[in-house]
Amino acid sequence: MAQVEKNCTVLFDTEKISSVQQEDIMKDLESADARLKANAIKQTILMMLSGEQLPRVLMSVIRYCINTEDHALKKLLMVYWEVVPKHGPDKKLLPEMILVCNALRNDLTHPNEYIRGSMLRFLCKLREAEILEPLVPSVKANLEHRHSYVRRNAALAIYHIHHYAGAHLVPDAPELISRFIADETDVGCRRNAFLFLCNEAETLALDFLEHNMDDIGRFGDGFGLLVLELTRRVCRADPNLKGRFVRCLFSMMSAQSPGVAYEAAWTLVSLTTAPTAVRAAASTFAELVCSQGDNNVKLIILERLNALKRNHSKVLQEVLMDILRALNSPNLEICEKTLEVAMDLVTPRNILEVVTLLKKEVQRTQENDMDKAAEYRRVLIRSIHQCATRFPDVAEGVVHTLMEFLDTDGALDVVLFVRAIVEQYPDLRPSLLRKLMDSLGLITVPNVLSVALWILGQYALTADEVDEAFECITEATGDAPFEEVVADSRGDLPKEGDTASVPQTTTRTMVLADGTYASQTVVSETANAAPVLASEGDSFLRRQLIMGEHFLAACVAASLTKLCLRAFALLGESSSKAKEMQIKSLLIMCGMAMVNPVADGTTGAAVPSSASTAMAKAYADSRESRSGGAYEDCRERIRLCSRLLLDPALRQSLGASWLTGSRQAFAELLEERRSIAQSKSARNEEAFRVEADELIHFRQLRPPAAAADLDMIDGDDMSKATGADANADGASKLSRVYQLSSIADPIYAEAQVTVHDYDIILDITVTNRT
């Protein structure tokens, strides 16, 4: 297997470097000016990184720059020592490097602690054992320096020398660092020393951790993260050692650093499935998601809670209200993710608290200073609908509150929720119908009006409800005709008996493109007439009917027809009240049928009866040319409603289907949705499968251990016995497979990505289909 020629720890942009001769660089290095020397070193570094070989420059650097006291030039020299070739063609160390070692040793014993620390930091990047070997005694001596900056970098240098250059250079490093960390008080020095113990002397690290378990919180965030990394590595190698880290993990979950608390909770959950551990981790996640200000951090924590919910939903139910505190975030995406996590955790025990909180959030969306209030309100309404569907006891207390928002942006979600509640809970129908009648005049969205009209026409079952619903709808529509009133040139409305202005006819002669003459006749009405509505106090429903909202007109006709059919069924065919409702409904339907739809945004008034016959026909033809198939369909439905009210035989044959057919279809739709949701939930809660010969550890047969040890391992037995881990692992593997080529390609390739801590493993499968 081929090896990399040399490692690279420095990277600069070398595209814009200027071409400089080697002699010019050597001349600048011989100068007494430190600025010229620094520029020459920079040019040398860039040229060497771009592939140039400057062998003669090395000796000039050693002669004229290696003993400089300029700090900036010393830093440039450290970069130069990284990139310069240190071996000759025979793979042996260059003789000049002996002089370099002497200069490095002098910097390691320099009285300035900054120079010492910088040189120790530089030694972490060297991999040549021949250069590092004579420097080891000086590095060890720096472990006892009075300044913590020097000691910190000395511990780090010993770790890199022992790990990369070879343990034979510092054979006593584990004992040396063990004594050093025991006496050290600086946070950074202790962290670097523990880094050495974790990677080079794991036993000593565990001993130190066991003796200082109560003081981990005082050792800093970096030390805590190292402890967590050591915990994961040790427990992965030997699961029986989990109990040694219980107290440590629980103490770090209450750390002031959010990073340490998050990693501790994640580590605890990854090591055990015991309810106590999961409960503590969930509480930590819930606290972090409410306390952190970064939205990205909140989304990451919510993803962790969502993953934890799949196998430990009962434990997370205890911290549900803490999780819902994240709804105070102004970010809509965070609120949606929070509700997604929380809705599956709602139970009969906490449903009242959850619904109360959601109602408060819905009311909070009415504040003027809230961003994206309409979108957030729709999300909340859907969540409340989901809660009311699952728990009927809270429906009554929720639906009346939501109906206050029928005139807002989320009115469509509210009215759909009301429609489902009216069907599912018959006891709430009278109060909901009465509330809907009171709110009908406040609705300003055509789609919401259509649903509200369907509810009134379908669920008004008693004589009083039919009468009230009919009066409410006819009051909102007004009397026919549904047409505009045209103002004259002075802006005055025409009075009763006034006639419309006579169209003016203009004839003129024009020249065509081929040079011949032709006559052109133009018929026009008065240009200064401005259309206005009949009354500014008209309801929104009437204004929509005047403007040619044909689908809404068909909904009005269907609702009035159902109410009339219900009145005939309840009061009898000869009832005067039912006949009065029939006549009034027919008049309204005829008025709506005369209104044509509009495609260009103008009003769809009825054809003016005062115009001449030819002009009226031209006006109607122009309106019909803009009418689409949807209008014809709605007008056909209005005609069917009229025939149904006029023809007793037709009413006798189709009346039952009109009154009960759509209601039964809607009930079947709700039942189908409920069955789909239940089947989906059943798939999520499907029992895990495990092989018959899978090994099961019984805790009663284990040797005696601490109580915490048993608490850490109890849940693992149950998960293994039920096959939870195996099933989750298989599903996660499939979700991490990414297709790299088409299935029909001769060479098929796919990749499986596995991320563990900071390691990313890419497993690529290539199949030759030829």
Side-chain angles (χ1 to χ4, degrees):
M1 181 177 180
Q3 296 182 351
V4 180
E5 294 181 358
K6 59 181 180 180
N7 64 319
C8 178
T9 57
V10 181
L11 182 62
F12 291 108
D13 184 14
T14 59
E15 293 183 358
K16 299 182 179 180
I17 62 172
S18 58
S19 177
V20 182
Q21 297 296 327
Q22 190 171 192
E23 288 76 11
D24 297 337
I25 294 177
M26 296 173 62
K27 182 178 179 181
D28 291 341
L29 291 175
E30 296 174 3
S31 174
D33 189 358
R35 184 177 300 177
L36 289 177
K37 290 183 178 181
N39 290 333
I41 293 294
K42 290 180 181 178
Q43 291 291 335
T44 303
I45 294 172
L46 293 175
M47 292 179 67
M48 295 181 69
L49 289 176
S50 62
E52 296 289 338
Q53 299 292 331
L54 304 175
R56 296 168 55 191
V57 176
L58 175 61
M59 202 61 208
S60 297
V61 172
I62 295 175
R63 292 177 58 190
Y64 301 104
C65 301
I66 200 170
N67 294 322
T68 183
E69 293 297 330
D70 186 79
H71 289 184
L73 186 56
K74 277 185 175 294
K75 294 184 68 175
L76 288 173
L77 283 175
M78 293 178 189
V79 179
Y80 175 74
W81 300 134
E82 290 185 51
V83 300
V84 68
K86 304 174 184 63
H87 296 85
D90 56 352
K91 303 300 181 181
K92 294 184 179 180
L93 190 70
L94 294 175
E96 293 87 346
M97 288 295 110
I98 300 177
L99 301 175
V100 176
C101 289
N102 293 331
L104 299 181
R105 187 186 300 109
N106 293 335
D107 286 344
L108 289 175
T109 58
H110 199 279
N112 190 326
E113 61 271 7
Y114 171 77
I115 294 178
R116 284 198 185 197
S118 300
M119 182 53 60
L120 290 167
R121 191 80 178 188
F122 162 71
L123 293 182
C124 298
K125 303 177 183 179
L126 292 182
R127 300 291 182 267
E128 289 76 16
E130 297 90 341
I131 300 177
L132 293 172
E133 186 174 5
L135 303 178
V136 170
S138 300
V139 175
K140 291 182 179 180
N142 283 312
L143 288 174
E144 301 177 358
H145 195 270
R146 60 179 178 82
H147 204 282
S148 61
Y149 177 72
V150 178
R151 300 196 306 271
R152 183 188 315 150
N153 287 286
L156 197 62
I158 290 180
Y159 164 65
H160 283 86
I161 292 173
H162 190 274
H163 184 74
Y164 295 103
H168 64 280
L169 296 180
V170 197
D172 59 339
E175 293 78 11
L176 182 66
I177 295 298
S178 179
R179 293 193 300 269
F180 171 77
I181 194 175
D183 301 332
E184 186 56 57
T185 58
D186 182 73
V187 174
C189 298
R190 188 185 293 111
R191 182 262 175 195
N192 290 346
F194 193 72
L195 175 64
F196 175 91
L197 296 179
C198 288
N199 293 277
E200 304 300 317
E202 190 175 280
T203 304
L204 295 177
L206 292 175
D207 293 340
F208 177 80
L209 188 61
E210 186 175 356
H211 288 87
N212 298 271
M213 191 72 68
D214 298 331
D215 299 330
I216 292 179
R218 300 187 294 104
F219 289 171
D221 302 343
F223 188 90
L225 294 176
L226 285 176
V227 171
L228 294 172
E229 182 180 353
L230 176 65
T231 301
R232 289 191 290 266
R233 185 167 64 241
V234 170
C235 294
R236 199 180 306 121
D238 188 2
N240 295 324
L241 297 177
K242 293 178 183 180
R244 301 181 62 179
F245 301 96
V246 177
R247 189 173 52 165
C248 173
L249 292 176
F250 273 88
S251 63
M252 283 193 290
M253 282 194 297
S254 59
Q256 295 181 355
S257 172
V260 174
Y262 171 80
E263 291 289 341
W266 176 30
T267 302
L268 185 62
V269 173
S270 63
L271 295 180
T272 179
T273 57
T276 304
V278 176
R279 187 179 300 107
S283 301
T284 302
F285 285 143
E287 183 66 27
L288 290 175
V289 78
C290 299
S291 61
Q292 293 304 302
D294 192 344
N295 293 334
N296 293 324
V297 174
K298 289 187 176 183
L299 290 174
I300 292 173
I301 298 174
L302 288 172
E303 284 292 340
R304 288 291 178 191
L305 286 171
N306 197 21
L308 203 62
K309 179 186 66 177
R310 298 189 185 101
N311 297 326
H312 309 284
S313 59
K314 292 185 178 180
V315 179
L316 262 65
Q317 291 170 4
E318 302 176 11
V319 295
L320 175 58
M321 299 310 298
D322 295 333
I323 297 174
L324 287 175
R325 287 164 51 197
L327 293 177
N328 294 327
S329 173
N331 187 276
L332 179 61
E333 186 177 0
I334 292 175
C335 295
E336 291 178 345
K337 190 65 179 179
T338 303
L339 290 174
E340 178 185 349
V341 174
M343 284 302 101
D344 294 334
L345 303 176
V346 179
T347 62
R349 293 184 178 180
N350 54 29
I351 180 62
L352 295 178
E353 297 178 350
V354 173
V355 170
T356 303
L357 178 61
L358 295 180
K359 287 165 61 176
K360 292 180 180 179
E361 290 296 317
V362 171
Q363 294 173 356
R364 190 169 66 89
T365 57
Q366 292 181 313
E367 299 177 2
N368 297 329
D369 57 344
M370 187 173 184
D371 296 335
K372 297 183 179 179
E375 293 84 350
Y376 183 37
R377 188 185 300 116
R378 283 195 288 268
V379 174
L380 290 172
I381 292 172
R382 285 195 292 267
S383 300
I384 294 176
H385 186 185
Q386 184 177 352
C387 293
T389 304
R390 293 174 54 191
F391 305 97
D393 297 339
V394 301
E396 183 177 3
V398 171
V399 67
H400 291 285
T401 303
L402 292 183
M403 290 187 71
E404 301 292 338
F405 299 92
L406 283 174
D407 56 342
T408 59
D409 297 331
L412 182 59
D413 294 314
V414 173
V415 76
L416 292 177
F417 172 55
V418 172
R419 184 181 64 176
I421 295 300
V422 168
E423 169 61 31
Q424 293 173 339
Y425 306 107
D427 296 339
L428 301 179
R429 287 174 188 169
S431 59
L432 293 180
L433 290 177
R434 191 170 297 105
K435 183 69 175 178
L436 187 60
M437 295 175 198
D438 297 337
S439 306
L440 190 64
L442 304 176
I443 301 175
T444 57
V445 182
N447 293 338
V448 179
L449 267 176
S450 302
V451 180
L453 290 171
W454 184 86
I455 295 175
L456 293 178
Q458 193 66 50
Y459 292 99
L461 303 180
T462 64
D464 294 337
E465 292 175 352
V466 170
D467 188 22
E468 293 178 5
F470 186 83
E471 292 295 333
C472 180
I473 295 176
T474 54
E475 182 180 356
T477 58
D479 297 330
F482 300 97
E483 62 180 7
E484 296 169 323
V485 180
V486 182
D488 57 16
S489 59
R490 294 172 298 182
D492 297 332
L493 295 176
K495 300 179 181 179
E496 186 177 358
D498 292 346
T499 58
S501 59
V502 179
Q504 298 179 357
T505 304
T506 304
T507 303
R508 63 176 181 173
T509 304
M510 59 180 298
V511 181
L512 301 179
D514 57 356
T516 59
Y517 293 90
S519 297
Q520 184 182 36
T521 301
V522 179
V523 180
S524 61
E525 295 183 357
T526 305
N528 56 0
V532 297
L533 292 178
S535 174
E536 296 180 357
D538 282 344
S539 65
F540 177 79
L541 178 57
R542 181 174 177 82
R543 292 198 300 270
Q544 291 295 308
L545 295 178
I546 292 176
M547 294 176 64
E549 190 68 38
H550 49 278
F551 182 75
L552 190 57
C555 293
V556 171
S559 298
L560 293 177
T561 303
K562 291 178 183 178
L563 292 175
C564 291
L565 293 177
R566 187 80 64 185
F568 281 123
L570 294 174
L571 304 177
E573 293 287 340
S574 60
S575 172
S576 59
K577 182 63 177 178
K579 291 184 178 297
E580 182 181 351
M581 293 172 58
Q582 177 189 21
I583 295 173
K584 195 169 185 177
S585 300
L586 288 171
L587 291 175
I588 293 175
M589 293 179 196
C590 292
M592 293 187 298
M594 294 178 62
V595 180
N596 287 333
V598 185
D600 55 0
T602 59
T603 57
V607 179
S609 57
S610 57
S612 61
T613 304
M615 189 64 192
K617 185 177 184 304
Y619 186 88
D621 291 341
S622 65
R623 291 287 184 177
E624 289 292 341
S625 64
R626 294 196 296 265
S627 303
Y631 167 67
E632 293 299 330
D633 180 68
C634 293
R635 191 165 61 177
E636 178 64 28
R637 185 164 181 82
I638 294 175
R639 284 199 294 264
L640 176 60
C641 293
S642 302
R643 290 180 55 198
L644 196 60
L645 294 180
L646 291 173
D647 190 352
L650 186 62
R651 189 163 62 243
Q652 189 70 24
S653 60
L654 298 180
S657 60
W658 268 70
L659 293 178
T660 60
S662 58
R663 179 177 168 184
Q664 291 178 355
F666 180 61
E668 293 174 359
L669 174 64
L670 292 179
E671 184 63 29
E672 182 180 359
R673 290 179 179 175
R674 188 183 300 108
S675 61
I676 292 175
Q678 291 177 353
S679 61
K680 183 178 179 181
S681 176
R683 287 195 302 268
N684 294 335
E685 299 177 358
E686 185 179 0
F688 298 111
R689 293 186 177 90
V690 67
E691 297 296 333
D693 56 349
E694 184 72 20
L695 182 63
I696 300 177
H697 296 279
F698 296 94
R699 70 174 185 273
Q700 289 84 356
L701 303 180
R702 287 197 183 103
D709 192 357
L710 291 178
D711 191 34
M712 287 283 288
I713 304 176
D714 282 350
D716 299 340
D717 296 337
M718 296 303 299
S719 62
K720 288 183 179 180
T722 57
D725 296 338
N727 190 30
D729 185 63
S732 61
K733 284 183 178 180
L734 292 178
S735 64
R736 296 195 301 267
V737 175
Y738 297 90
Q739 185 176 334
L740 303 180
S741 65
S742 175
I743 299 178
D745 290 346
I747 304 297
Y748 175 76
E750 66 180 17
Q752 178 181 341
V753 182
T754 303
V755 180
H756 182 75
D757 292 343
Y758 301 101
D759 299 331
I760 301 177
I761 301 175
L762 192 64
D763 186 6
I764 300 178
T765 302
V766 180
T767 305
N768 189 354
R769 296 171 179 250
T770 57

